Amino acid sequence: IRLVAAEKGCACADVWTAMGERDWLVHQDGVHANVVGNLVIAGEIFATIARSLPGLADDVIRRHASTEWTRSTAPQRRP
């Protein structure tokens, strides 16, 4: 799957590795992820999207640049 994604220029979220063969992330049916497993999968998918689309972060930074929260907290971050 990774090779096809690379050939096609697509992002590939490796949810199998993210799950790490941890039994406690699998539902009692032995097939599907449980609620915590689904959160792990969702986190990996989100991380893959975020890494693959730097424009996504740029858009968030642009939209949040003028919020009250940013104006009040950003000066504390700068040396």
Side-chain angles (χ1 to χ4, degrees), residues 34-65:
N34 63 23
V35 173
V36 177
N38 282 319
L39 291 170
V40 170
I41 291 168
E44 181 63 24
I45 291 169
F46 179 77
T48 299
I49 291 169
R51 285 190 300 266
S52 300
L53 299 171
L56 177 67
D58 293 342
D59 183 54
V60 170
I61 290 167
R62 180 187 53 76
R63 287 186 294 130
H64 288 227

Side-chain angles (χ1 to χ4, degrees), residues 2 13-22 24-25 36-37 39-45 47-48 51:
R2 281 188 213 107
D14 188 352
V15 298
W16 184 256
T17 299
M19 295 282 286
E21 297 183 26
R22 293 176 183 93
W24 50 271
L25 296 176
V36 177
L39 291 170
V40 170
I41 291 168
E44 181 63 24
I45 291 169
T48 299
R51 285 190 300 266

